[in-house]
Amino acid sequence: MGRLGQGRARRAAAIAVVAAGTVLATPGTVLAAPSGALPPKQPLTADLGTGGAPCVSGDERAYVRFAPQLSARLYGPGGGQSGEVSGVRGEFEAWWQDEDGAEQRVTMTTTTKADTAPFTWQLPGTIPDETVISWRVRAVNDAGASAWSSEGAGTPCEFVYDRTAPDAPVVTSSDYPDDDTWTPGAGVRGTFRFTAQADDIVAYSYSFIGGPSKTVAVGTDGAAEISFVPQQSGVQILSVQAQDRAGNRGPRTDYTFRIGSGPAPVAQWKLADAVGSRSAAAEHGTAARSGARVTFGAPAPSGTPLTSTASLDGSGHGFLTPGTPVVTGTGKDFAVGGWVRPARVDGTRTVLSQDAGTGRAFTLGLTQAGSAPVWSFAVGGARVSGGLPAAGEWAYVLGQYDAGTGTARLYVNGRAVGEETAVTPVGSEGAFQIGRARGVQGYRDRWQGEIGDVRAYDRIVVPSEVKDLATRAATRLGHWALDTAPDGLAPEAGGGAPLKLGPGASLYRLDDPCDPLDLECGQDWPLEGDGHLRLDGVTGHAATDAPVVDTSGSFTVSARVRLTDDEPAAPMTAISQGGEHGDAFKVRFDPENSSWDLVMSHADEPGAPETVLRRIEWPDGNWGIGHRVTVVYDASVKQVSFYLDGVKYEEGGTADFAAAWKSTGGLQIGRGRTADGWGEYLHGAVDSVFAYEGALSEEEIRQLPYLRATSP
């Protein structure tokens, strides 16, 4: 019985303590029944419990790490019939064999209670451990005693009291050894094996730094294995404890290993080859042969390291292939992705795939969901889809299969879209394809548009990598410091279009003398830099002659604003850009709600619907440095965000917005479009205006107040 044969001296002492406080019972004793009275009914085995566990015996017996409380439901002569309550006592009996083979038997009788009440016996912690202990119970009243619960169809209950914790487990891994070496790396699945010396281990509890505690059951050999995908490089510690069948956990083993950066792709083609090339050079893997209708030298997505891409015309000759498989084990972790710009989004169009006989092991591209196109990643017969493909718009798409969970994920522009989907991989030894997919009658579902920087991985691409791959750095289009305005023109720091000051707009500088009778003299202060723009709230404004940002694509616009009034009488626009009838966007102060609002118009039409993001804030009253207001539109996910002083609040911070339109008017400071023309003039100060093509990150937005006028 393993450890059941150990501890002779400890059990002998425990028996003496137990026996001193209990009564040795005489088996078979039955109390005499008064004439006409009935004894209680026999307890049922199903109504008995050992420390909350059912009454069991043999190989199913319970192992407990604390002396258990025994419990029973007892029945009077009426057998628990409704309306019949009887007073009974519970007589518990427990027994075991000591080291000499002699049976030890102890008993305890409760006070008289209604047979509807629970009857319990808390065993003392001095009962012998590592020994099979049996117990039973019967009900007793003045008329006599019931049969023992173990008699007839019943059976004794058994348990083993095990208070000895197991030894510390041994942890090993050939993938990530604990030997001070750095092993690649992030995204690479590793296996860890746990073993222990004891023969009663049922599970191991384990956790990684920064992760939750989990439990894994042992195999038939008493060992267990887990797999782990590191999400980042660095030093990691795996902590493991062995757990026996009584629930005891032993000392912790800490296993330290070092994770390097994720390995390079198994295949990569930038597709930035020279015009006229008939093959694509491989950064990793084998060069890809190109069809006759592949044109190199096509545009690349701005804000990325790519200098050019390949354009495929959607015909039978518009494809590239290395002629060999790239994903060599579709039943293992893999990921494929690249930059794409569809010229058409109708039908089904393939970016990447791999042949599997007359079919394909996987496809990445776009398909149709109802009447709308969606991005799609299919593995075997299952598909995950989502996102909003748009003709002429760049997107980074990546499909990934996780062998650990057996699921596929789809990422568009660095974000997971659709639902994680269970898939059954298909074996594949066919060639990898760019721009087409294999069908029964040949290749089909051809791509029309641009493709760049195609990559394939034989590991998980962790979320931070996906985000980095999809990141497009924003490009500064303008920074107006508003420190000077020679001839009424506030220059752009990089030599771009200036802001032209209109009537009612003037530049304030700290070193300029002011009229002592002017109430603002002596209390004004530059918001950022050496000066700022003052606006009178009547006609004051500044503007560029032409649009600065393309409001139909991703953009960021930011400005520092301070209100002169502490109780503004009407809405006032700080910054806007629009068209003939309305503003594509504007940031204004709304005195009715005492809030800064970002207003996005759905069309350049009178009375067009608007999406509004709002942040409650008191007016400045011409004190302090005001507030930095920032609007960010991310066309890749069709979302608009509003930041106040570098913070995007959970409420009123972000909204879906799929109605972006291209504005034709210049960037406006201090006014916006209304139903009656120009209006909502700002009474206050504006400083340090920024405009970017692309969506700045939250960290970049927080850095805006600290950027020098000449910084990029």
Side-chain angles (χ1 to χ4, degrees):
M1 299 183 66
R3 283 161 41 195
L4 299 184
Q6 304 174 3
R8 179 190 300 269
R10 183 170 57 190
R11 283 198 294 274
I15 292 168
V17 173
V18 174
T22 55
V23 179
L24 289 175
T26 303
T29 299
V30 178
L31 301 180
S35 177
L38 295 173
K41 299 292 186 181
Q42 179 186 12
L44 303 175
T45 302
D47 292 332
L48 310 183
T50 304
C55 172
V56 292
S57 59
D59 292 339
E60 300 299 319
R61 68 175 66 93
Y63 283 76
V64 297
R65 58 193 178 109
F66 300 108
Q69 183 182 75
L70 311 182
S71 62
R73 166 72 193 277
L74 303 181
Y75 300 94
Q81 295 293 325
S82 177
E84 297 187 17
V85 179
S86 301
V88 297
R89 299 181 297 279
E91 185 177 341
F92 289 85
E93 186 175 67
W95 68 94
W96 62 88
Q97 287 186 331
D98 63 19
E99 287 293 332
D100 297 325
E103 184 179 89
Q104 302 296 324
R105 190 176 292 264
V106 294
T107 188
M108 189 279 292
T109 302
T110 71
T111 59
T112 299
K113 296 189 289 185
D115 61 357
T116 56
F119 291 78
T120 61
W121 179 19
Q122 176 59 58
L123 292 174
T126 51
I127 61 173
D129 64 347
E130 301 173 356
T131 300
V132 177
I133 297 178
S134 305
W135 70 275
R136 60 183 183 174
V137 68
R138 64 180 178 180
V140 180
N141 65 9
D142 293 341
S146 71
W148 288 101
S149 60
S150 60
E151 295 179 331
T155 183
C157 306
E158 293 181 349
F159 70 90
V160 174
Y161 174 37
D162 181 357
R163 57 183 177 182
T164 304
D167 295 332
V170 176
V171 181
T172 57
S173 174
S174 58
D175 298 315
Y176 290 102
D178 183 0
D179 61 2
D180 294 331
T181 61
W182 291 88
T183 305
V188 177
R189 189 179 303 278
T191 299
F192 297 83
R193 181 175 176 82
F194 311 150
T195 56
Q197 300 300 317
D199 59 3
D200 63 344
I201 303 301
V202 297
Y204 295 93
S205 173
Y206 69 95
S207 65
F208 293 90
I209 290 180
S213 179
K214 297 181 180 181
T215 300
V216 59
V218 302
T220 56
D221 59 354
E225 288 188 350
I226 64 164
S227 67
F228 174 66
V229 179
Q231 296 298 296
Q232 59 186 11
S233 59
V235 177
Q236 178 61 269
I237 299 177
L238 168 61
S239 298
V240 187
Q241 291 175 283
Q243 178 177 313
D244 64 19
R245 52 195 165 189
N248 295 302
R249 289 185 180 180
R252 188 180 71 189
T253 296
D254 288 335
Y255 184 91
T256 303
F257 56 101
R258 289 160 172 75
I259 307 161
S261 58
V266 292
Q268 179 185 3
W269 302 272
K270 288 186 176 180
L271 303 182
D273 301 88
V275 177
S277 297
R278 292 274 55 89
S279 68
E283 300 292 312
H284 303 281
T286 305
R289 175 176 61 89
S290 64
R293 301 307 296 270
V294 174
T295 303
F296 291 104
S302 62
T304 71
L306 291 178
T307 56
S308 65
T309 60
S311 178
L312 285 63
D313 72 349
S315 72
H317 296 285
F319 69 91
L320 298 103
T321 178
T324 60
V326 167
V327 178
T328 56
T330 51
K332 301 177 182 178
D333 298 327
F334 75 89
V336 292
W339 281 102
V340 295
R341 183 170 68 169
R344 296 176 59 177
V345 293
D346 57 332
T348 298
R349 299 189 177 275
T350 302
V351 178
L352 306 172
S353 71
Q354 186 161 299
D355 300 346
T358 57
R360 51 281 192 113
F362 63 83
T363 58
L364 175 68
L366 63 84
T367 188
Q368 305 301 307
S371 59
V374 290
W375 295 109
S376 167
F377 179 52
V379 179
R383 181 187 304 274
V384 55
S385 58
L388 300 170
E393 289 190 8
W394 285 103
Y396 188 86
V397 293
L398 183 139
Q400 183 156 267
Y401 172 68
D402 186 329
T405 60
T407 57
R409 294 301 304 262
L410 174 63
Y411 296 87
V412 177
N413 294 316
R415 296 176 173 87
V417 298
E419 296 293 331
E420 188 172 4
T421 303
V423 302
T424 301
V426 174
S428 172
E429 296 182 356
F432 185 74
Q433 304 291 336
I434 301 174
R436 64 182 183 178
R438 183 76 177 179
V440 175
Q441 298 180 348
Y443 290 103
R444 49 179 293 182
D445 303 336
R446 294 175 173 85
W447 181 259
Q448 186 171 345
E450 285 74 47
I451 301 178
D453 197 20
V454 170
R455 302 183 185 213
Y457 297 84
D458 60 353
R459 60 175 177 89
I460 296 295
V461 181
V462 299
S464 60
E465 290 181 293
V466 177
K467 182 179 179 180
D468 289 344
L469 288 169
T471 295
R472 297 178 66 179
T475 302
R476 181 182 293 181
L477 301 175
H479 176 208
W480 296 268
L482 297 175
D483 291 336
T484 60
D487 300 323
L489 299 176
E492 193 280 316
L499 284 167
K500 183 178 181 179
L501 276 58
S506 62
L507 200 73
Y508 171 81
R509 288 183 59 84
L510 181 62
D511 54 4
D512 287 342
C514 61
D515 183 355
L517 298 180
D518 185 347
L519 294 179
E520 294 185 357
C521 182
Q523 70 181 41
D524 207 351
W525 194 264
L527 303 186
E528 293 182 16
D530 297 326
H532 59 237
L533 181 67
R534 276 180 169 178
L535 302 172
D536 65 0
V538 181
T539 59
H541 71 280
T544 60
D545 291 333
V548 173
V549 294
D550 179 357
T551 52
S552 66
S554 297
F555 69 88
T556 302
V557 175
S558 181
R560 172 77 63 184
V561 186
R562 183 178 65 200
L563 302 179
T564 298
D565 306 317
D566 54 11
E567 293 184 6
M572 295 185 292
T573 294
I575 190 165
S576 68
Q577 186 176 297
E580 182 179 354
H581 302 287
D583 294 315
F585 78 89
K586 65 181 169 186
V587 178
R588 71 181 176 194
F589 186 82
D590 180 2
E592 181 177 350
N593 297 297
S594 188
S595 63
W596 280 106
D597 297 349
L598 167 61
V599 182
M600 303 289 294
S601 175
H602 291 217
D604 187 13
E605 300 172 359
E610 296 176 336
T611 293
V612 180
L613 294 175
R614 174 168 292 141
R615 184 61 192 171
I616 305 300
E617 189 62 52
W618 290 107
D620 302 302
N622 208 39
W623 291 99
I625 62 170
H627 300 282
R628 177 159 287 283
V629 294
T630 305
V631 51
V632 178
Y633 177 62
D634 190 341
S636 67
V637 291
K638 303 294 190 291
Q639 281 187 340
V640 62
S641 298
F642 182 44
Y643 294 78
L644 187 69
D645 294 325
V647 178
K648 180 176 67 173
Y649 292 89
E650 183 174 350
E651 182 178 352
T654 300
D656 292 332
F657 188 73
W661 50 277
K662 192 179 183 72
S663 59
T664 56
L667 183 67
Q668 303 291 326
I669 308 299
R671 68 179 182 178
R673 287 284 189 183
T674 69
D676 299 322
W678 292 115
E680 297 183 350
Y681 285 94
L682 180 79
H683 187 203
V686 179
D687 203 0
S688 190
V689 177
F690 290 93
Y692 288 84
E693 176 189 9
L696 289 183
S697 67
E698 292 192 20
E699 169 126 359
E700 290 170 325
I701 289 170
R702 287 193 292 269
Q703 293 299 317
L704 284 177
Y706 311 105
L707 297 181
R708 299 190 310 274
T710 56
S711 60

